[in-house]
Amino acid sequence: MSLRVISGSAKGRRLKDVPGETTRPITDRVKEALFSILFDDVQDSSWWDLFGGTGAVGIEALSRGAAFVRFSDLNRLPVEVIKANLQACGLGDRAEVRRGDAFAMLASLPEHSFDYIYIAPPQYKEMWSKALALVDTNPGWLNEGAWVIVQIDPREYQQFALENLEAFDERKYGSTLLVFYRQKEK
């Protein structure tokens, strides 16, 4: 799969892929649909691309005017690819790349809050639901009005009770499902 930035200041820039089968990069079609939904809300927003992989989603957000993106991944190779992709796009000055366990990070005391948390973990391991539950129980990671966006295979999806978050939209694009969550009104 050829990865590229599809809009904004880094439009057309090619992104390196992570070798092997450990990541599942987002397709241009799904990325275009996601950012069409978000439209102007990306401008000046802050993001956490939780299971960063290639960094394609966070880099797209930066290219479209996001103020800051934190990328995190457990493995060394994706972290190196994200750093290389940020450098190639000239977007590293508004980004932070952390290597570490996403679940440990989410369980820790929030030192920054975000407008968007993007959760696209390895498939079929229920990692998305564990990450979502941790965001739900540690809402300090979220700014007021924040969204949590989950990218999974539709066969993985299941609804479950959350205390602070609610699903408000789902969009299916072939073998990719985007589920959008926001904080419940109190």
Side-chain angles (χ1 to χ4, degrees), residues 11-183:
K11 181 180 180 176
R13 297 276 173 94
R14 296 277 174 211
L15 301 176
K16 288 176 62 174
D17 200 354
V18 178
E21 307 265 332
T22 59
T23 62
R24 56 182 173 101
I26 189 170
T27 64
D28 283 353
R29 176 179 170 228
V30 175
K31 193 167 33 170
E32 183 66 48
L34 168 65
F35 284 94
S36 290
I37 292 166
L38 304 178
F39 196 55
D40 288 338
D41 290 338
V42 174
Q43 191 71 34
D44 298 322
S45 62
S46 61
W47 288 65
W48 187 355
D49 193 343
L50 189 63
F51 297 90
T54 64
V57 171
I59 289 170
E60 189 71 36
L62 288 169
S63 181
R64 292 171 182 247
F68 173 77
V69 176
R70 172 183 290 169
F71 298 86
S72 59
D73 205 285
L74 178 60
N75 298 308
R76 177 190 54 80
L77 196 52
V79 166
E80 290 174 1
V81 168
I82 292 167
K83 288 177 179 178
N85 284 337
L86 284 165
Q87 184 176 14
C89 294
L91 298 170
D93 60 326
R94 293 182 285 139
E96 171 188 71
V97 183
R98 290 188 179 184
R99 182 176 177 200
D101 180 83
F103 306 118
M105 289 183 204
L106 286 171
S108 67
L109 186 64
E111 80 288 345
H112 187 82
S113 56
F114 299 92
D115 299 307
Y116 297 97
I117 296 180
Y118 196 79
I119 300 172
Q123 297 185 125
Y124 313 118
K125 298 181 181 181
E126 297 186 22
M127 295 170 77
W128 73 272
S129 57
K130 183 177 178 182
L132 186 63
L134 284 165
V135 174
D136 185 60
T137 59
N138 204 353
W141 289 114
L142 302 172
N143 287 329
E144 185 176 331
W147 289 11
V148 180
I149 304 164
V150 174
Q151 175 194 328
I152 54 176
D153 184 292
R155 294 172 291 183
E156 287 184 89
Y157 184 59
Q158 59 183 336
Q159 292 183 352
F160 58 97
L162 296 165
E163 185 177 328
N164 297 301
L165 297 172
E166 64 184 351
F168 69 93
D169 197 3
E170 298 173 18
R171 306 284 177 103
K172 185 178 176 201
Y173 305 93
S175 63
T176 301
L177 177 67
L178 296 177
V179 185
F180 298 85
Y181 293 84
R182 63 180 166 216
Q183 294 170 312

